[in-house]
């Protein structure tokens, strides 16, 4: 089982729709969860982080975390063609006495159709 | 503030050669991590350096090595190149100002390596 799993897609949604991106992780000790966006030919950039169970909203983006189910998701409301990119889920774990370890999922390619 | 810089941006090598990639983190960032990105495997962690010490290492063979200098600049070396080493190599730095900054990876533009 991969440490961080995502469906590679592509996920196609029409412009204006809600895009739902999902991620599961295997380490119950994981404490921090991030979503990065990577445009084709560019490097990843952070768009959201979430630490606590529940929802966190930032503009059109909502991150959802359920630690019991080891599940984190990203919702993009009113999707725009400019949202077309690969979305990477990242999970940070800080083991006792150790140093943080960042693990990325393979990324989900999102295509927003005009 | 300047972002993370990586040199060279593109590199073509042949099997058996070795290569050295360079990364300069954001000013003030002391942690530098290296990642390999391929279409099939995604972003895979190579190693992390902090204050010239390797703190974490991913599951890569010993042909992959790195180091960090006192000014936080880092280099990554791959010896005896194989065709499968063709990938985008990304460097990321992070800051230890607070939890969010510590755990956020700021990526450079990457070095695209092609092994023939």
């Amino acid at each position: 089982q991969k440490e961080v799993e995502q469906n590679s897609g592509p996920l196609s949604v029409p412009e204006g729709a809600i895009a739902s991106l999902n991620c599961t992780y295997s380490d119950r000790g994981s404490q921090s969860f991030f979503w990065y966006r990577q445009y084709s030919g560019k490097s990843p950039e952070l768009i959201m982080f979430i630490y606590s169970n529940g929802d966190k909203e930032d503009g059109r983006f909502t991150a959802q975390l359920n630690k019991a189910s080891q599940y984190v998701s990203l919702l993009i409301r009113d999707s725009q063609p400019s949202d077309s990119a690969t979305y990477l889920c990242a999970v940070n774990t800080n083991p006792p006495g150790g140093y943080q370890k960042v693990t990325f999922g393979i990324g989900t390619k999102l295509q927003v159709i005009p | 503030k300047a972002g993370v810089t990586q040199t060279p941006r593109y590199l073509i090598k042949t099997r058996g050669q070795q290569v050295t990639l360079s990364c300069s983190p954001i000013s003030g960032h002391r942690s530098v991590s290296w990642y390999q990105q391929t279409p099939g495997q995604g972003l895979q962690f190579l190693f992390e350096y902090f204050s010239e010490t390797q703190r974490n290492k991913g599951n890569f063979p010993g042909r992959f090595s790195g180091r960090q200098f006192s000014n936080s600049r880092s280099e990554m070396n791959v010896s005896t190149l194989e065709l499968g080493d063709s990938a985008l190599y990304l460097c990321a730095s992070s800051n230890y100002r607070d939890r969010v900054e510590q755990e956020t990876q700021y990526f450079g533009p990457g070095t695209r390596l092609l092994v023939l």
Side-chain angles (χ1 to χ4, degrees):
Chain A
Q1 181 189 8
K2 286 191 174 182
E3 293 180 76
V4 179
E5 297 216 46
Q6 293 182 261
N7 188 318
S8 60
L11 172 67
S12 295
V13 299
E15 183 175 355
I18 296 175
S20 178
L21 305 162
N22 304 315
C23 172
T24 59
Y25 59 95
S26 61
D27 188 342
R28 286 194 171 275
S30 299
Q31 298 156 349
S32 310
F33 307 86
F34 295 75
W35 283 99
Y36 286 79
R37 177 177 60 200
Q38 185 174 24
Y39 290 112
S40 180
K42 301 293 185 181
S43 52
E45 58 178 347
L46 178 72
I47 53 172
M48 292 242 8
F49 65 90
I50 186 167
Y51 294 147
S52 304
N53 277 329
D55 294 359
K56 179 181 178 183
E57 187 175 316
D58 184 0
R60 295 186 297 111
F61 298 93
T62 298
Q64 299 175 317
L65 175 61
N66 184 325
K67 290 186 178 180
S69 301
Q70 295 174 245
Y71 176 92
V72 58
S73 64
L74 179 70
L75 301 178
I76 306 175
R77 290 182 300 281
D78 187 24
S79 295
Q80 301 297 308
S82 59
D83 295 325
S84 297
T86 297
Y87 289 80
L88 301 166
C89 173
V91 176
N92 285 24
T93 306
N94 280 288
Y99 299 104
Q100 71 168 10
K101 175 186 171 185
V102 182
T103 305
F104 284 82
I106 197 168
T108 298
K109 185 173 183 178
L110 173 66
Q111 296 176 337
V112 181
I113 312 301
Chain B
K1 185 183 280 190
V4 179
T5 59
Q6 292 187 245
T7 56
R9 293 292 310 277
Y10 303 92
L11 208 47
I12 299 175
K13 292 285 187 179
T14 56
R15 278 182 299 174
Q17 288 187 309
Q18 75 164 19
V19 66
T20 299
L21 311 181
S22 181
C23 170
S24 292
I26 292 171
S27 178
H29 287 198
R30 293 162 61 192
S31 171
V32 173
S33 298
W34 287 90
Y35 297 86
Q36 181 195 66
Q37 188 172 37
T38 58
Q41 298 295 320
L43 204 60
Q44 291 192 287
F45 173 74
L46 281 154
F47 27 66
E48 184 213 0
Y49 286 87
F50 181 83
S51 293
E52 303 179 65
T53 301
Q54 186 183 90
R55 301 202 306 184
N56 269 319
K57 191 177 189 305
N59 297 321
F60 278 81
R63 301 184 296 107
F64 291 82
S65 62
R67 59 178 176 168
Q68 186 180 34
F69 302 95
S70 59
N71 62 358
S72 294
R73 189 178 71 85
S74 178
E75 287 183 348
M76 189 192 91
N77 184 274
V78 188
S79 63
T80 319
L81 284 166
E82 300 178 359
L83 295 179
D85 296 334
S86 295
L88 178 66
Y89 290 88
L90 290 162
C91 161
S93 71
S94 59
N95 191 9
Y96 276 71
R97 185 173 60 195
D98 56 37
R99 179 181 180 182
V100 176
E101 283 289 289
Q102 176 180 338
E103 297 178 340
T104 299
Q105 302 279 291
Y106 294 88
F107 286 89
T111 294
R112 190 165 294 280
L113 172 66
L114 177 61
V115 182
L116 301 176

